[in-house]
Amino acid sequence: VQLQASGGGLVQAGGSLRLSCVASGRTGSIYGMGWFRQAPGKERELVGSISLSGARTYYSDSAKGRFTISRNIRESAVYLQMNILKPDDTALYYCSANSRSYDLTTGFTHWGQGTQVTVSS
């Protein structure tokens, strides 16, 4: 499975961005998809994830109420709509796919190249 992410950029605090990720290759092996982020000097953290059908979602506490994850099964794509962005959201955002289990928080096995999100104050 290959993942291609896009949509990052520079935005002012309070603004919005929409990240997109398209999967290719053995997409039939994907149980779920998610977005992680990693800021300089910090560990990578799961921001949000979604099941294959889209019926189940998970959000980190920092993402709840501001971010929305969605997916298009036909296009093998996952999206992250980020609203009310804060400087603390500045990070490299990675798209990921889980081909190991239906768990929404562990077992992610495939990673995209990352897209930078920078939020200015």
Side-chain angles (χ1 to χ4, degrees):
V1 175
Q2 293 78 46
L3 301 170
Q4 182 67 45
S6 61
L10 173 64
V11 64
Q12 288 187 332
S16 299
L17 280 175
R18 184 176 189 246
L19 305 183
S20 300
C21 176
V22 178
S24 60
R26 295 186 62 188
T27 57
S29 68
I30 296 174
Y31 294 118
M33 298 183 74
W35 288 95
F36 289 74
R37 70 185 182 187
Q38 187 167 20
K42 295 185 177 180
E43 294 187 355
R44 184 173 57 192
E45 65 169 335
L46 176 61
V47 176
S49 58
I50 189 167
S51 62
L52 176 66
S53 67
R56 294 184 298 125
T57 57
Y58 165 86
Y59 295 99
S60 66
D61 288 342
S62 61
K64 286 178 183 176
R66 299 188 299 126
F67 295 2
T68 302
I69 191 168
S70 60
R71 70 171 295 173
N72 184 319
I73 297 175
R74 184 174 58 186
E75 297 182 357
S76 298
V78 64
Y79 310 98
L80 186 68
Q81 177 67 43
M82 304 185 293
N83 299 325
I84 317 175
L85 283 161
K86 306 174 182 180
D88 285 348
D89 295 318
T90 295
L92 190 60
Y93 283 70
Y94 295 91
C95 172
S96 184
N98 191 337
S99 295
R100 182 175 296 167
S101 75
Y102 291 104
D103 194 294
L104 291 182
T105 60
T106 62
F108 287 86
T109 49
H110 306 284
W111 300 89
Q113 84 286 6
T115 184
Q116 178 67 39
V117 171
T118 303
V119 184
S120 63
S121 58

